[in-house]
Amino acid sequence: MSPSPAAPRDPAAQRVADAALTGGDAAPGQEQTGGSVVQLHVRTVRIEEPVDLLAHIPADLSAAWIRHGQGMVALGSAWSVRTTGEQRFAAARAAFTQLAARARVDDEVRARASGLIALGSFSYAASSPRPSRLTVPQAVLGVIEGEAFLTVVGIEEEPTLPDSWQDLFPAAPAEEESDDAAARAVPTGAASSGTVPSGAVPSGTPPPGTPPSAHTGELTLEPAHTPAEYQQLVREAIARIRDGQAHKVVLSERITATSPQSLDPALLVTRLARAYPSTWVYFLDDVVGASPEMLAQTQDGRVFSRVLAGSRPVADDGELEEADRRAFRTDAKERSEHLYAVESVTSRLEDLAAQLEVSPEPFVLRLPGLEHLASDVSAQLRAGVTSLDVAARLHPSAAVSGTSREQADQIIAALEPADRGGYASPVGWMDARGDGQWAIALRMAHLTGEREAVLQAGGGLVEASDPVAEHAEVLAKTRPMLRALRGDRAG
């Protein structure tokens, strides 16, 4: 029998979970909003040969979690639960706890992420019409710390192992690199006003006068706002900060990208994982991206969180000059924004963990085309606290909402009325013991149609923020998804 997280302490969440699992008529293997709690039979076996995970991402991919070429890719869904509202995290956790308590697990590997796991994507706001979801895949190919394994899941019966793991996860065909410069795309209208600094957006910027919605290469891109409109929203947010309504506010921009071809999640994941190996690349349901920010990682009673706040775009995927990097690291505005984000994490961890340790000084995290101020936070978890409990407590951090959280979210709701959906929300996985990894869904897009994706990126605003620079930062943060959509290589 698999170990399971401690029972949830919130009776209301337990009632929500019970209702989600005991009413309705959903079929096994589909959304578990009905029938009695199913019993899953989970088998994990070791793969003796070396496995190149990125070369075996299946065409019918259902979920992915990859960093530095390791992690997991998944097929199908043996069980899932959808939750909404204020209790969405607690209800999902309670439902998975019940499932784990009944599951029969044969795990010969006993590595991180082997055995019974659930992958999840949560919505930013309690009021979001987009449901949050936890799902247990039917098959997982994993590579963790160089050890490869295959997990298969049966519903109310023992799973059948394939003759070879490659029967489920065959080698994917290699993608040919495109040299078509016409495929290079950026948010149309981004440079037409002359108010975006040079180097702030990817190459292939449309010429001055490009209309707000136009074809750029093979993609049609339509920002939700013109540069002038977005910069005015930034000014309005800054005015509210100066009025004392908040100390920091994180606004975001949305860009709708339409492709003449069907969008392939497996191909997007492969491109992101190869171009941005140090990020956490994720895919589940409608969200895909490459996050640089770990919200909550737990293992053996310890929790780790990486806080990013304060960013500098860099032209042509270069790096800041050392003098510019020193200036960035000591910039009062950037450090102020960063401090708010760090304090939002440490203050919320206090009743979940002890012995908090924080980077003595922010360090600079270098990614292609963008550098961030970063701090690492770690602590000893209290008994019974799961990775999802921590993610729920930390969400939304000041890095994606602001300070104070309640006032910042009110300003966001007023200036950014479109629902954020899964943007800037926890995405990741959890095992039957409650350990797992939950990143913040950044550098991302919602897959909203067969040929359509909505990119979303944001930036933190404080009293000293400059609207033009903030708009440039937001555009720079769309680079990973734009490149994945058009097939460019970073660097």
Side-chain angles (χ1 to χ4, degrees):
M1 186 75 70
S2 168
S4 60
R9 296 180 294 275
D10 189 334
Q14 184 63 61
R15 289 194 296 274
V16 173
D18 290 342
L21 292 167
T22 58
D25 56 1
Q30 305 299 316
E31 286 296 324
Q32 293 302 307
T33 54
S36 60
V37 181
V38 299
Q39 182 177 62
L40 298 185
H41 296 251
V42 182
R43 177 111 184 256
T44 298
V45 295
R46 182 175 286 103
I47 299 173
E48 300 295 346
E49 62 194 280
V51 174
D52 179 356
L53 189 64
L54 300 188
H56 292 271
I57 297 177
D60 49 350
L61 181 73
S62 65
W65 180 262
I66 302 171
R67 185 173 189 246
H68 291 311
Q70 301 194 76
M72 64 195 96
V73 293
L75 291 169
S77 176
W79 172 93
S80 64
V81 63
R82 291 180 182 267
T83 60
T84 58
E86 294 287 352
Q87 300 295 330
R88 62 196 183 282
F89 294 100
R93 190 251 210 206
F96 184 60
T97 298
Q98 290 185 24
L99 183 81
R102 287 177 54 86
R104 301 183 64 86
V105 180
D106 179 4
D107 181 3
E108 72 177 41
V109 179
R110 298 192 178 278
R112 187 163 174 80
S114 67
L116 176 63
I117 65 158
L119 293 104
S121 169
F122 288 81
S123 293
Y124 182 89
S127 60
S128 175
R130 173 193 182 269
S132 301
R133 183 180 180 224
L134 271 184
T135 183
V136 175
Q138 288 182 307
V140 174
L141 176 64
V143 179
I144 303 293
E145 297 179 353
E147 186 166 32
F149 58 86
L150 173 70
T151 297
V152 290
V153 180
I155 305 165
E156 303 290 357
E157 62 182 6
E158 292 292 333
T160 301
L161 282 171
D163 293 335
S164 167
W165 63 271
Q166 294 195 57
D167 293 343
L168 292 176
F169 296 93
E175 181 187 10
E176 294 183 5
E177 184 169 358
S178 172
D179 293 323
D180 182 8
R184 301 178 184 274
V186 299
T188 55
S192 60
S193 70
T195 56
V196 177
S198 175
V201 295
S203 59
T205 302
T210 302
S213 178
H215 291 278
T216 308
E218 295 183 354
L219 295 176
T220 300
L221 302 178
E222 187 171 358
H225 305 91
T226 66
E229 289 170 343
Y230 187 79
Q231 291 163 27
Q232 181 56 34
L233 289 177
V234 172
R235 292 186 185 94
E236 292 179 25
I238 293 172
R240 296 186 184 218
I241 292 171
R242 288 174 177 164
D243 286 343
Q245 296 180 35
H247 296 294
K248 174 186 173 182
V249 175
V250 181
L251 286 185
S252 70
E253 173 66 311
R254 301 163 72 245
I255 300 169
T256 300
T258 305
S259 169
Q261 293 88 31
S262 297
L263 298 178
D264 180 355
L267 186 56
L268 295 177
V269 166
T270 302
R271 289 170 175 173
L272 288 168
R274 294 195 186 281
Y276 302 93
S278 64
T279 66
W280 288 271
V281 174
Y282 57 89
F283 165 66
L284 180 67
D285 284 349
D286 61 338
V287 295
V288 60
S291 178
E293 190 158 0
M294 175 55 61
L295 182 66
Q297 172 179 300
T298 67
Q299 186 174 15
D300 299 329
R302 296 288 298 177
V303 60
F304 166 82
S305 182
R306 172 161 289 175
V307 182
L308 304 185
S311 305
R312 289 286 169 89
V314 187
D316 300 323
D317 286 339
E319 294 186 355
L320 292 173
E321 297 291 337
E322 191 54 42
D324 293 334
R325 187 173 291 118
R326 284 196 299 269
F328 172 41
R329 197 164 47 235
T330 58
D331 182 275
K333 177 263 178 185
E334 303 289 359
R335 289 181 70 92
S336 172
E337 178 185 341
H338 188 78
L339 181 61
Y340 287 134
V342 172
E343 289 181 343
S344 76
V345 170
T346 57
S347 63
R348 294 173 199 167
L349 278 177
E350 286 179 349
D351 63 342
L352 296 181
Q355 303 173 23
L356 268 69
E357 299 177 5
V358 184
S359 300
E361 285 289 322
F363 58 92
V364 176
L365 179 67
R366 306 176 192 181
L367 296 172
L370 203 63
E371 301 198 7
H372 300 275
L373 287 185
S375 291
D376 289 342
V377 179
S378 63
Q380 186 70 34
L381 281 177
R382 301 194 189 283
V385 176
T386 71
S387 60
L388 190 53
D389 294 332
V390 178
R393 179 64 58 86
L394 297 183
H395 173 76
S397 77
V400 296
S401 62
T403 306
S404 67
R405 177 163 54 179
E406 292 75 15
Q407 283 78 2
D409 276 342
Q410 289 176 9
I411 296 172
I412 290 169
L415 301 182
E416 187 187 308
D419 178 50
R420 286 189 167 186
Y423 165 68
S425 309
V427 60
W429 65 274
M430 183 169 71
D431 66 19
R433 295 174 296 276
D435 280 342
Q437 296 175 305
W438 298 94
I440 301 177
L442 302 173
R443 313 296 186 271
M444 61 84 70
H446 287 96
L447 302 179
T448 53
E450 183 181 355
R451 298 185 299 109
E452 183 181 273
V454 178
L455 289 67
Q456 194 155 356
L461 309 176
V462 293
E463 187 172 348
S465 293
D466 174 71
V468 174
E470 296 297 340
H471 185 221
E473 178 183 325
V474 166
L475 295 179
K477 290 175 179 177
T478 66
R479 285 174 175 167
M481 280 310 310
L482 282 173
R483 287 195 168 114
L485 288 167
R486 70 194 183 206
D488 280 4
R489 302 297 197 271

